[in-house]
Amino acid sequence: MELVNLKDASDKVSFSQAVAKGLGKHQGLYFPVEIPKLENIEALLDMPFVERSTALLHRLIGDELGAGVLDEIVQTAFDFNVPVTQINEDIYTLELFHGPTLAFKDFGGRFMAQCLSRIARGKPVTILTATSGDTGAAVAHAFHGIENINVVILFPKGKISPLQEKLFSTLGDNIHTVAVDGDFDSCQALVKQAFDDPQVRDDLHLNSANSINISRLLAQVCYYFEAVSQLPAERRKELVVSVPSGNFGNLTAGLIAKAMGLPVKRFIAATNTNDTVPRFLKTGEWDPKATVATISNAMDVSQPNNWPRIEALIEKGYIDKHSVHGEAVDEQYTQLAMRQLAQAGYTSEPHAAVAYRVLSHSLEEGETGLFLGTAHPAKFRETVENVLGQPISLPPELASVVGEDSLAVELNASYEELKAHMQHLLKDKQ
Ligand SMILES: *Cc1c(COP(=O)(O)O)cnc(C)c1O
């Protein structure tokens, strides 16, 4: 597979190089030089998930990882269920939260970990990443126990839910967690400083594992095919897919699936009040406002960094711009949508509810709707219990960590402290 830097056409790399580097020169995103158009869609849809996903990724990535390696990677990474559940006569949901950390980020995180561990070929790597919740847990679980890869996760002390924190700070071994006395932005600033410090970047072989890594997106292409495969055949023709969006990686993956030939009539980019993209789609003006906090906090992003990839899909003619429609949902309607879903017998959480709200209002006669369920409702237990007025139970993944102690080390938001801590942690491992 060949990829090109969207900010510098002379910067071309292989899949392995793009995975190892993350971002290209001038902070440019890597984009496939060519997206293959598949002809045998019906036959692919008849295959089981793991087998089909291997075939899809093989078409995208090619042979560069070596014979049989991709099969191994996909089998290890995608070892949990991806069910489609019917909500009402015309609307279905794809549940992406049955992985070890109960959010769709498990797909990308696990696939990336398996790819990177093979690409690094035993050379030591340090993953340094800042999290506001879901990414940290997915990355920590995905890399837990992988030899020669150490993970350092920074999170803002007291600012993520206690359950979110327990999911990754109790693992230990090669997973090191740091509770920073500051907010998410100060954690991100510390990560940036580390990447700008050659002594740390080169000595510790830093990699960020963040959501702009191409391997994470390619993994996500696979579950859009799975969604269509589980729909009754007569429901596949006029399909509208609604994606709860923050950084827009998930929607990018859906559009790549469509470019490859997956039959989706149109996509909905559903956001919370951080509505840069819906406003842009209506006015043509890119005008990010200050980020505001909402109950769908994983989508509190006002400068989505995957958007240039969506523009490239449109500019290169893979996607007709009229097949992407954007709409924002405020807090009140998000809560209303959660209650409507509960009335239909389905317990959901704020992110999926945003997608459901826009979908149920834009679906036309004869169309079938599908929204992505991006996280398990128990991950947002307090909000869900408050809005629905009833207790919800914890799945085993959360119940088993509730009583365990956090192993996180507390640090001030000081780069010198972080650097000393990392050098001490990793001194024998490079
Ligand atoms: C990360 C996340 C999103 C946003 O996904 P993007 O790919 O960044 O648009 C939506 N819902 C949940 C639960 C998330 O964790």
Side-chain angles (χ1 to χ4, degrees):
M1 176 179 207
E2 202 182 14
L3 298 114
V4 60
N5 180 336
L6 289 176
K7 283 195 180 162
D8 181 349
S10 70
D11 179 12
K12 284 201 176 131
V13 293
S14 67
F15 173 74
S16 308
Q17 288 168 322
V19 173
K21 288 170 87 163
L23 271 178
K25 274 191 220 156
H26 317 302
Q27 313 269 311
L29 299 169
Y30 286 118
F31 189 86
V33 167
E34 203 193 317
I35 298 174
K37 178 100 182 165
L38 308 174
E39 261 121 45
N40 51 349
I41 299 285
E42 288 302 320
L44 269 170
L45 290 175
D46 284 341
M47 292 164 92
F49 179 57
V50 168
E51 219 177 284
R52 180 194 322 112
S53 300
T54 309
L56 289 170
L57 290 163
H58 196 259
R59 276 303 300 273
L60 284 160
I61 296 169
D63 293 326
E64 68 175 82
L65 294 173
V69 174
L70 206 47
D71 303 59
E72 248 173 61
I73 291 178
V74 175
Q75 252 167 41
T76 313
F78 296 173
D79 64 343
F80 47 89
N81 293 336
V82 200
V84 169
T85 300
Q86 186 163 13
I87 303 292
N88 60 33
E89 206 183 319
D90 297 318
I91 295 186
Y92 296 77
T93 184
L94 175 68
E95 296 185 351
L96 298 170
F97 48 77
H98 297 284
T101 72
L102 308 171
F104 80 87
K105 304 226 166 47
D106 282 325
F107 287 89
R110 290 170 73 75
F111 183 69
M112 177 178 173
Q114 293 302 318
C115 289
L116 191 65
S117 70
R118 285 161 178 90
I119 290 165
R121 291 177 203 277
K123 283 197 236 102
V125 175
T126 304
I127 306 283
L128 175 64
T129 202
T131 186
S132 56
D134 289 336
T135 294
V139 167
H141 273 261
F143 285 97
H144 187 212
I146 294 185
E147 233 175 296
N148 292 316
I149 298 189
N150 275 281
V151 178
V152 180
I153 294 181
L154 311 185
F155 65 94
K157 188 169 98 188
K159 296 204 170 69
I160 67 175
S161 87
L163 282 175
Q164 280 182 315
E165 177 176 344
K166 288 277 169 85
L167 258 178
F168 61 89
S169 65
T170 54
L171 290 170
D173 305 322
N174 60 330
I175 308 301
H176 312 283
T177 49
V178 180
V180 174
D181 196 1
D183 57 14
F184 175 62
D185 290 315
S186 52
C187 296
Q188 263 192 317
L190 290 171
V191 170
K192 250 190 117 222
Q193 270 180 291
F195 277 88
D196 285 341
D197 178 349
Q199 214 186 2
V200 167
R201 184 187 62 216
D202 301 338
D203 290 0
L204 302 183
H205 313 282
L206 287 192
N207 183 304
S208 85
N210 67 13
S211 69
I212 46 84
N213 197 290
I214 192 71
S215 60
R216 293 181 45 163
L217 288 186
L218 299 189
Q220 291 172 239
V221 169
C222 301
Y223 54 65
Y224 285 91
F225 282 83
E226 179 62 16
V228 175
S229 84
Q230 288 186 39
L231 290 176
E234 72 277 9
R235 290 295 198 169
R236 294 178 188 172
K237 298 207 172 62
E238 299 274 297
L239 180 62
V240 180
V241 177
S242 183
V243 184
S245 296
N247 233 344
F248 282 79
N250 223 346
L251 182 63
T252 307
L255 294 174
I256 293 175
K258 181 169 164 62
M260 293 174 80
L262 187 71
V264 177
K265 184 181 172 190
R266 59 190 171 92
F267 278 90
I268 295 171
T271 70
N272 60 29
T273 33
N274 296 288
D275 62 348
T276 309
V277 166
R279 278 187 292 113
F280 174 74
L281 290 171
K282 282 181 190 121
T283 65
E285 242 173 285
W286 189 257
D287 178 26
K289 306 243 153 75
T291 308
V292 295
T294 72
I295 53 170
S296 50
N297 63 314
M299 310 194 318
D300 292 348
V301 180
S302 55
Q303 309 214 36
N305 58 21
N306 267 302
W307 188 256
R309 285 186 168 130
I310 294 184
E311 299 228 291
L313 281 159
I314 294 170
E315 274 163 25
K316 291 173 197 282
Y318 289 114
I319 295 292
D320 176 353
K321 75 171 180 204
H322 300 294
S323 60
V324 186
H325 161 90
E327 199 74 48
V329 180
D330 70 14
E331 296 287 89
Q332 205 187 333
Y333 280 110
T334 304
Q335 297 190 18
L336 179 66
M338 286 169 68
R339 287 194 285 267
Q340 287 170 337
L341 282 164
Q343 274 161 14
Y346 190 73
T347 303
S348 192
E349 52 75 48
H351 304 78
V354 165
Y356 170 73
R357 167 77 195 173
V358 184
L359 181 63
S360 60
H361 275 250
S362 91
L363 210 59
E364 287 168 17
E365 189 69 31
E367 289 179 336
T368 296
L370 179 116
F371 63 96
L372 303 192
T374 45
H376 193 291
K379 253 191 140 166
F380 299 92
R381 180 162 70 163
E382 276 178 20
T383 305
V384 174
E385 289 183 342
N386 279 338
V387 173
L388 300 185
Q390 62 196 41
I392 58 167
S393 55
L394 293 183
E397 291 84 349
L398 285 171
S400 67
V401 293
V402 167
E404 286 187 41
D405 289 332
S406 167
L407 301 171
V409 170
E410 294 184 11
L411 293 182
N412 291 310
S414 140
Y415 179 61
E416 289 314 312
E417 274 188 38
L418 176 67
K419 181 172 175 174
H421 178 65
M422 286 179 65
Q423 284 173 330
H424 171 73
L425 269 182
L426 304 169
K427 65 177 183 297
D428 303 323
K429 303 198 167 119
Q430 300 312 312

